[in-house]
Amino acid sequence: MVHKSERLFQLVNLLKGRRLAVTAKQLADKLNVSERTIYRDIQHLQTSGVPIEGEAGIGYLISECDLPPMMFTLEELQALMLGSRMVSEWTDPVLADKAHSALAKIEAVLPSSLKQKVDDLPYLVSGWSHNQAQQAFTLTLRQGIEQHRCVNIDYSDAKQQTTTRLVEPLGMVYWGGKWTLITYCRLRNDYREFRIDRIQTVSLTELTFTTHGDKSLAHYVKLVQEKYKEC
């Protein structure tokens, strides 16, 4: 079942830019819902300010004008587009796919006056240093973080010595060059950091852990900030 907000977005896309009206039945068939649902959705969109023209029995289309829901400034759009491109290149395949989807949704409803300006965004997001293996690792690590499950990692340090570690994954930090996995080491009873590009294998375990005020990503970041304040 498609969520209502997603269905409304799809409905706007089906109507936008068409020269001929589309009947409620055609829309219902496309979205796999009843005509009554289409009528309700059309009324909801019209009430929200979307310039839909037409009526039951004849069909509907969106008049040529900027859509009110896209109320972002150019700089806000550039920030959203840049952030989505960074996620699509630097995170795991699932988040990357969602970032591509978000970009498509933004671009689908961009007013024509802003499309070229957004296309000319003066930032290039390169994914050259982020290979597919590392992105696959981040997916497993994210699952461990979200589900509070320990992970086993085979890690190669700066001296190229490989060790196996069982750690509690708390979060991942991008320092502007490399992703770092922040963990709590059960053996050392302290935080430990691992560069993701040096991780050789990752496996999710059934062992669970809990976070609290003295063991969390936020607490780790606070300690780092205090450390560098003293320098």
Side-chain angles (χ1 to χ4, degrees):
M1 181 67 68
V2 177
H3 193 275
K4 182 179 179 180
S5 60
E6 178 68 15
R7 189 177 68 247
L8 292 174
F9 174 81
Q10 293 176 0
L11 184 56
V12 168
N13 273 348
L14 288 172
L15 294 173
K16 190 167 182 264
R18 298 185 65 95
R19 294 183 179 180
L20 300 177
V22 188
T23 66
K25 184 179 186 311
Q26 289 173 316
L27 293 169
D29 290 343
K30 277 278 189 181
L31 298 177
N32 197 28
V33 296
S34 67
E35 290 183 52
R36 179 175 295 182
T37 297
I38 294 297
Y39 292 137
R40 287 200 301 264
D41 287 350
I42 292 289
Q43 185 176 22
H44 176 82
L45 289 169
Q46 288 174 327
T47 303
S48 300
V50 180
I52 297 176
E53 298 178 350
E55 57 185 77
I58 297 177
Y60 302 93
L61 52 78
I62 290 180
S63 59
E64 288 294 328
C65 66
D66 294 344
L67 296 181
M70 185 54 67
M71 298 299 291
F72 298 114
T73 65
L74 175 59
E75 287 77 15
E76 289 170 339
L77 283 169
Q78 288 178 328
L80 288 171
M81 300 291 277
L82 179 60
S84 296
R85 290 172 184 171
M86 292 171 71
V87 171
S88 68
E89 292 291 347
W90 297 345
T91 61
D92 62 73
V94 175
L95 280 183
D97 181 65
K98 298 304 179 184
H100 284 299
S101 176
L103 281 169
K105 289 180 179 180
I106 293 172
E107 291 171 349
V109 293
L110 272 179
S112 57
S113 60
L114 290 180
K115 282 185 178 180
Q116 187 60 50
K117 292 180 180 179
V118 170
D119 288 341
D120 293 337
L121 183 68
Y123 296 99
L124 173 65
V125 180
S126 169
W128 294 338
S129 62
H130 303 271
N131 59 46
Q132 292 182 346
Q134 291 174 26
Q135 289 182 315
F137 291 161
T138 61
L139 174 58
T140 303
L141 293 172
R142 182 162 63 87
Q143 291 172 336
I145 294 165
E146 294 174 349
Q147 298 169 20
H148 285 197
R149 292 165 60 184
C150 295
V151 296
N152 274 313
I153 63 172
D154 288 327
Y155 187 75
S156 179
D157 62 20
K159 298 179 180 179
Q160 297 186 339
Q161 296 178 338
T162 301
T163 56
T164 299
R165 316 285 186 95
L166 174 66
V167 296
E168 301 175 3
L170 302 176
M172 290 178 279
V173 177
Y174 187 73
W175 300 108
K178 302 292 182 182
W179 278 101
T180 300
L181 172 67
I182 309 303
T183 72
Y184 191 84
C185 178
R186 289 186 168 186
L187 178 63
R188 304 299 183 186
N189 289 321
D190 201 359
Y191 294 112
R192 289 292 185 271
E193 305 92 355
F194 301 95
R195 275 178 42 174
I196 292 179
D197 63 314
R198 290 180 178 170
I199 294 177
Q200 306 300 308
T201 64
V202 177
S203 60
L204 201 58
T205 75
E206 296 302 319
L207 295 173
T208 61
F209 63 91
T210 59
T211 59
H212 48 73
D214 293 326
K215 188 180 72 174
S216 67
L217 181 61
H219 181 246
Y220 167 84
V221 171
K222 181 180 178 181
L223 293 178
V224 171
Q225 290 173 334
E226 290 176 350
K227 176 182 177 180
Y228 282 97
K229 281 182 181 178
E230 296 173 357
C231 294

